[in-house]
Amino acid sequence: MVEQKKDRARHKHETHQIWENRSDYLGGHNRGSIIGVIVYFVVLVSKTPFYYHISFKLTNIDYKSDFGKPYSQEYINLNEKIMTLMNKTFQASKLRRQYVLSHTAKVRESNGKTMVDVVLKFKSCYNNNAAKFRDRARDILLQKLTGDTGSLCIDSSSFKLSDIDMEPAENLLNMCCGRRKMKSPGNKVTGGLDSVEGEWPWQASLQQNNIHRCGATLISNNWLLTAAHCFVNAKDPQEWSVTFGFLLSEPKQKRSVKNIIVHEKYEYPGHDHDIAIINLSKPVLYETNIRKVCLPEENYNFPPDSDVVVTGWGSLKSDGSSPNILQKGIMKIIDNATCNEKEVYDGSITNGMLCAGFLKGRIDACQGDSGGPLVSSDSRGIWFLVGIVSWGDECGLPNKPGVYTRVTYYRNWITSKTGI
Ligand code: ARG
């Protein structure tokens, strides 16, 4: 990613100094007593989170195929209703102080009717009596589900509740695509282009022998999209791994690669069909900061001039080194006709490509960003994958915007390989 390098360097220096002063302050015998107080508070006040998995059948809602798409309005409305019911149930109960949240993890079909799986999260200091707590939660739910459940008709004989560990529970809680936990991220362009943790949870680093080579985008717990040209000289999956998390130096999860599928028609050094799919050897566990992006339908149209964001650990100038913090570039879609004008790319942009950036230059992806995501959020704040960083004439030059693989154009190809 290129842009505004000087400001960033100065800022880094300042933060560093503040922390140095602070460790002076904590030095000497002060340190022991401060740590003591912290330990005391952590032990006394900390609440351990724990989770339940519940499922039940809805008798008045016929199953619709849209329930399989977590970004569909059908799914969102149903989740909203279930959440409201759960919130009401627990907020009016003895467990109101321990109840944290609920989330519809899955909506599935059972004899034409609709079955839902919901994860409930609680926090409590009294973690020594788990069985009793579970019984209480079950009683509260059963009582509610056999009584007034508003617009949802629930078959209470289908109701099940079981314990679920933190990791699989968080995995279910974070399964939805294109959503991020963080409230309002610093989407201001001034002051540098560093991302914050959790801002782009689908971004992965594709590494060859543990060295960052390309970006990649998580589209399910075991499939990622990237660029075909990342594998020109290295097709052996064994050389490759994928890391997750916004700092290159401290990955949250790491996976080896089982299989690489390069588009059959990609031919180096051409730029057409610059798309590849990576299959992980073992699925990632979704967590707050590791989630998938939503894939747009084939006929979805991202209009020219709409706002998009490209992210990556690519170099900050042509021939520069990789930053540690994930960078973002906020830009606009440029229509193919404009991008094909003589002074721009003079007819090289084909239907499977899309341009983004600014004709005046400056903000652009760069070496090392390749394969990474260009995303756009819809009016509800759900993020969709628009493009894959592919090529460009150097970085950030006027009339030479970034060129991306157009995801909608390859939507059916993606399904044919992954089933997604
Ligand atoms: N092809 C380059 C890579 O392998 C980056 C392409 C993006 N260039 C650009 N100016 N947008 O990382």
Side-chain angles (χ1 to χ4, degrees):
M1 204 83 44
V2 289
E3 215 233 8
Q4 291 179 351
K5 236 192 41 149
K6 277 207 185 104
D7 274 3
R8 189 190 346 262
R10 197 183 56 221
H11 183 71
K12 240 185 207 157
H13 189 68
E14 278 166 8
T15 347
H16 191 66
Q17 282 205 328
I18 291 168
W19 280 102
E20 264 172 15
N21 295 342
R22 190 166 175 121
S23 58
D24 278 355
Y25 173 73
L26 286 176
H29 51 253
N30 255 351
R31 191 180 275 155
S33 47
I34 289 175
I35 290 176
V37 170
I38 292 172
V39 169
Y40 176 80
F41 268 100
V42 168
V43 170
L44 198 77
V45 190
S46 81
K47 297 185 174 184
T48 22
F50 54 97
Y51 306 82
Y52 297 123
H53 176 188
I54 65 170
S55 60
F56 50 82
K57 191 190 269 182
L58 298 171
T59 52
N60 65 334
I61 296 184
D62 291 328
Y63 185 83
K64 301 176 190 72
S65 62
D66 267 5
F67 286 146
K69 296 179 199 140
Y71 57 83
S72 69
Q73 208 50 47
E74 299 277 359
Y75 187 101
I76 291 169
N77 294 346
L78 182 57
N79 178 40
E80 197 68 37
K81 280 186 193 158
I82 294 169
M83 258 175 64
T84 309
L85 178 64
M86 293 297 140
N87 292 350
K88 268 196 195 150
T89 306
F90 284 104
Q91 277 153 12
S93 80
K94 285 206 168 109
L95 300 184
R96 67 181 162 278
R97 269 199 284 272
Q98 286 78 22
Y99 174 71
V100 180
L101 58 85
S102 66
H103 177 76
T104 311
K106 205 189 230 161
V107 182
R108 54 200 161 92
E109 184 170 9
S110 159
N111 302 328
K113 287 284 175 265
T114 305
M115 236 7 228
V116 293
D117 293 280
V118 179
V119 177
L120 302 175
K121 182 173 180 178
F122 292 87
K123 262 188 179 167
S124 166
C125 323
Y126 317 107
N127 44 2
N128 47 357
N129 210 334
K132 203 165 154 200
F133 196 98
R134 184 197 311 115
D135 288 346
R136 263 201 191 172
R138 182 183 283 122
D139 287 349
I140 289 167
L141 273 164
L142 259 177
Q143 204 187 355
K144 181 73 182 179
L145 299 188
T146 43
D148 174 24
T149 51
S151 63
L152 297 170
C153 294
I154 292 167
D155 172 1
S156 57
S157 69
S158 68
F159 173 75
K160 284 202 188 89
L161 179 147
S162 52
D163 290 324
I164 176 169
D165 286 338
M166 176 158 154
E167 277 195 355
E170 286 292 329
N171 187 37
L172 290 172
L173 286 176
N174 292 296
M175 235 162 64
C176 45
C177 69
R179 300 272 190 165
R180 52 192 188 191
K181 175 82 176 299
M182 27 156 0
K183 288 185 189 93
S184 129
N187 248 1
K188 47 183 173 34
V189 193
T190 44
L193 295 161
D194 286 355
S195 298
V196 296
E197 180 159 38
E199 201 174 353
W200 316 106
W202 39 82
Q203 171 87 50
S205 158
L206 177 57
Q207 310 196 343
Q208 184 185 19
N209 303 319
N210 301 315
I211 295 165
H212 171 85
R213 291 283 178 221
C214 274
T217 308
L218 196 63
I219 57 168
S220 81
N221 63 357
N222 61 351
W223 294 102
L224 294 101
L225 286 183
T226 188
H229 79 258
C230 299
F231 304 107
V232 165
N233 294 314
K235 293 180 179 62
D236 180 4
Q238 298 226 31
E239 288 176 25
W240 294 92
S241 58
V242 178
T243 70
F244 300 89
F246 87 123
L247 296 178
L248 264 193
S249 60
E250 291 164 42
K252 294 278 176 213
Q253 289 185 45
K254 183 172 183 171
R255 290 290 183 271
S256 49
V257 171
K258 183 158 82 185
N259 198 12
I260 299 164
I261 305 169
V262 171
H263 197 285
E264 299 78 2
K265 291 193 193 144
Y266 174 74
E267 234 178 281
Y268 181 80
H271 293 307
D272 276 315
H273 316 297
D274 192 6
I275 184 169
I277 297 174
I278 299 164
N279 191 200
L280 299 179
S281 54
K282 186 179 125 195
V284 281
L285 281 171
Y286 295 124
E287 47 178 272
T288 310
N289 302 319
I290 304 179
R291 300 178 181 199
K292 62 187 172 186
V293 76
C294 301
L295 287 176
E297 313 262 338
E298 183 194 15
N299 56 7
Y300 195 88
N301 180 38
F302 296 99
D305 222 38
S306 40
D307 289 308
V308 283
V309 183
V310 63
T311 50
W313 290 276
S315 44
L316 304 176
K317 54 174 183 190
S318 297
D319 309 321
S321 63
S322 272
N324 184 36
I325 302 177
L326 181 64
Q327 303 292 301
K328 64 180 167 190
I330 301 165
M331 49 182 69
K332 302 253 182 210
I333 292 184
I334 298 169
D335 66 287
N336 280 27
T338 307
C339 208
N340 266 327
E341 279 170 16
K342 186 131 190 55
E343 64 280 18
V344 189
Y345 285 119
D346 194 15
S348 312
I349 309 301
T350 56
N351 291 337
M353 301 176 191
L354 165 154
C355 299
F358 300 95
L359 291 179
K360 68 177 195 319
R362 287 210 26 205
I363 302 176
D364 193 7
C366 202
Q367 260 57 49
D369 288 321
S370 280
L374 178 77
V375 290
S376 163
S377 80
D378 70 5
S379 54
R380 304 166 297 183
I382 302 180
W383 292 85
F384 287 82
L385 187 64
V386 181
I388 298 168
V389 179
S390 178
W391 63 279
D393 188 350
E394 297 193 31
C395 308
L397 294 182
N399 278 333
K400 304 294 167 194
V403 187
Y404 297 78
T405 307
R406 188 184 285 270
V407 170
T408 50
Y409 188 86
Y410 294 98
R411 187 64 189 86
N412 291 336
W413 181 80
I414 296 167
T415 307
S416 74
K417 302 294 172 184
T418 64
I420 299 168

